[in-house]
Amino acid sequence: MNQGKRVGIVGAGNVGATVAYSLAMLGSCHEIILRDNKIDVAKGKALDMSQAASAVRSHTVVSVAEEMSDLTNCDVVVVTAGSPRLPGMSRDDLLMINAKITKEVIEGVAKYSPNAIVIMVSNPLDAMTYVALKESGFERSRVIGMAGVLDSSRMASFIQEKLGYGGGQIRASVMGGHGDDMVPLPRYSTVAGVPLTDLLSSSEIDEIVARTRNGGAEIVSYLKTGSAYYAPAKSTAIMVEAILKDTKQIHPCAVYLEGEYGYSDVVSGVPVMLGTNGAEKIIEVTLDDMEKEMFKNSCNSVKSLIDTLNKNNFFEGE
Ligand SMILES: NC(=O)c1ccc[n+]([C@@H]2O[C@H](COP(=O)([O-])OP(=O)(O)OC[C@H]3O[C@@H](n4cnc5c(N)ncnc54)[C@H](O)[C@@H]3O)[C@@H](O)[C@H]2O)c1
Ligand SMILES: O=C(O)C[C@H](O)C(=O)O
């Protein structure tokens, strides 16, 4: 069913290469095209992955785009180009450097793969998704940020660790931006359908919420030279598959809001139905007063990054 599908991946570093590997092993698409400034590194990884695909009898071939102009007619383009943070940095510290890279990359994507669904990964995620949307001129359903799938998976793994049981049966929910004030939602988290609030005390749940918010930084503090990539890549691959297979399943994704949850002209993480056309539907769940306040803080943080870009005349001349 996915024969003929082309997935472009811009940035063949830790996250990009691991997304490619995951998709190649699953045979999710016919072709994966890697694009990176470090062309030889991309070529080496593409050869290595094509050989791994042969080993598992996957039909996926992995090739390299030497220029953005070679990244043509992709169905999905994943953008992981940009710097990762180092210990002591926040994702927001990457704003200006990664915004510039995103602008340059998206210009090429819009030109050479004009019908693609774009999945943004580079940080700070929500602001980069906003940049990609504005620079591409694509409709909002075609520019989607990956973060909620990752943050929810992290929360699920912390719940499993705390409980000591329930692995594979946990559905955790995280909304809001992919920053320090993301919005984990214990009220919408369950273990085999049992509400989390029936299984753990409020102080235990508070610990899980805090650890989820700090989940990326915890890994950066161990790795020291960059940030997490296995769970981020798998989360991205899940979104790519949902789009290629038109699953119509709901995943938490970063999308541009036009009035949903009372916010406009900002990108934030909300439940989204994914299909061939990208973010086909935004789901509005009921939030209580405290959850609404947290969502507001999170949207305001993203808005302040967009303000910084505007103050630096980032979007000028468009
Ligand atoms: N959204 C999330 O949840 C999430 C999770 C993990 C990482 N990230 C972010 O993803 C980005 C990539 O992380 P990583 O660990 O893969 O970093 P990395 O340094 O391993 O890879 C980044 C790659 O981008 C390439 N690159 C830079 N500018 C480019 C350009 N103009 N065109 C093509 N390629 C270019 C670099 O050569 C490098 O290979 C970072 O910004 C990181 O913060 C986001
Ligand atoms: O923490 C980071 O900087 C990378 C990514 O956003 C993550 O959450 O792992």
Side-chain angles (χ1 to χ4, degrees):
M1 190 167 112
N2 297 317
Q3 283 282 15
K5 295 283 183 188
R6 282 160 73 85
V7 175
I9 300 183
V10 189
N14 283 336
V15 180
T18 314
V19 174
Y21 182 68
S22 178
L23 294 173
M25 290 303 95
L26 290 168
S28 305
C29 52
H30 183 61
E31 199 177 354
I32 296 169
I33 305 131
L34 300 178
R35 162 76 201 138
D36 199 291
N37 286 344
K38 296 174 189 156
I39 291 171
D40 281 347
V41 173
K43 281 185 178 169
K45 289 185 182 184
L47 274 175
D48 198 5
M49 278 185 233
S50 288
Q51 292 159 12
S54 290
V56 298
R57 312 277 188 261
S58 161
H59 63 100
T60 305
V61 289
V62 187
S63 63
V64 167
E66 300 220 1
E67 307 286 344
M68 277 305 287
S69 54
D70 299 325
L71 202 77
T72 51
N73 299 323
C74 292
D75 298 285
V76 176
V77 175
V78 174
V79 179
T80 73
S83 294
R85 64 173 155 163
L86 299 172
M89 289 171 79
S90 90
R91 298 178 183 93
D92 296 353
D93 295 331
L94 304 168
L95 179 70
M96 292 318 294
I97 176 170
N98 284 351
K100 202 165 154 270
I101 293 171
T102 299
K103 189 180 208 169
E104 175 191 310
V105 165
I106 288 295
E107 203 181 281
V109 173
K111 196 162 173 190
Y112 300 108
S113 284
N115 300 314
I117 310 288
V118 175
I119 301 183
M120 285 304 301
V121 178
S122 314
N123 272 318
L125 186 273
D126 307 274
M128 291 310 102
T129 305
Y130 184 94
V131 168
L133 179 76
K134 296 289 168 185
E135 296 299 325
S136 63
F138 287 1
E139 57 270 39
R140 67 170 176 155
S141 54
R142 289 207 285 133
V143 183
I144 312 165
M146 186 292 293
V149 178
L150 168 67
D151 296 325
S152 304
S153 305
R154 278 190 179 139
M155 186 173 174
S157 101
F158 297 146
I159 291 169
Q160 180 183 352
E161 193 182 311
K162 181 70 81 187
L163 283 173
Y165 58 86
Q169 297 186 303
I170 303 171
R171 295 282 174 273
S173 178
V174 179
M175 283 177 50
H178 184 57
D180 296 341
D181 46 17
M182 67 180 73
V183 186
L185 292 170
R187 229 164 46 85
Y188 283 107
S189 301
T190 58
V191 182
V194 181
L196 186 62
T197 39
D198 287 353
L199 297 170
L200 290 171
S201 69
S202 59
S203 67
E204 287 171 318
I205 290 175
D206 287 349
E207 273 176 47
I208 288 168
V209 165
R211 195 168 172 204
T212 301
R213 288 201 175 114
N214 194 47
E218 184 179 356
I219 292 175
V220 171
S221 77
Y222 287 117
L223 295 183
K224 297 196 172 60
T225 53
S227 48
Y229 50 100
Y230 292 113
K234 189 65 204 175
S235 303
T236 308
I238 285 169
M239 291 171 62
V240 174
E241 280 237 304
I243 293 165
L244 293 179
K245 290 186 176 165
D246 195 24
T247 64
K248 313 283 190 212
Q249 288 177 334
I250 297 171
H251 295 281
C253 303
V255 289
Y256 184 78
L257 299 180
E258 287 176 345
E260 292 87 0
Y261 294 89
Y263 295 90
S264 291
D265 197 31
V266 70
V267 168
S268 193
V270 293
V272 165
M273 186 184 86
L274 291 180
T276 306
N277 301 310
E280 295 187 357
K281 188 177 169 63
I282 294 175
I283 314 288
E284 292 198 62
V285 297
T286 312
L287 300 178
D288 67 21
D289 287 347
M290 207 175 77
E291 291 159 351
K292 276 186 191 155
E293 190 60 25
M294 290 193 293
F295 191 74
K296 179 172 138 195
N297 289 339
S298 185
C299 285
N300 285 343
S301 297
V302 178
K303 274 184 186 274
S304 78
L305 296 180
I306 296 168
D307 287 347
T308 304
L309 291 172
N310 280 320
K311 277 184 201 130
N312 282 278
N313 303 322
F314 183 79
F315 299 105
E316 221 159 70
E318 278 144 28

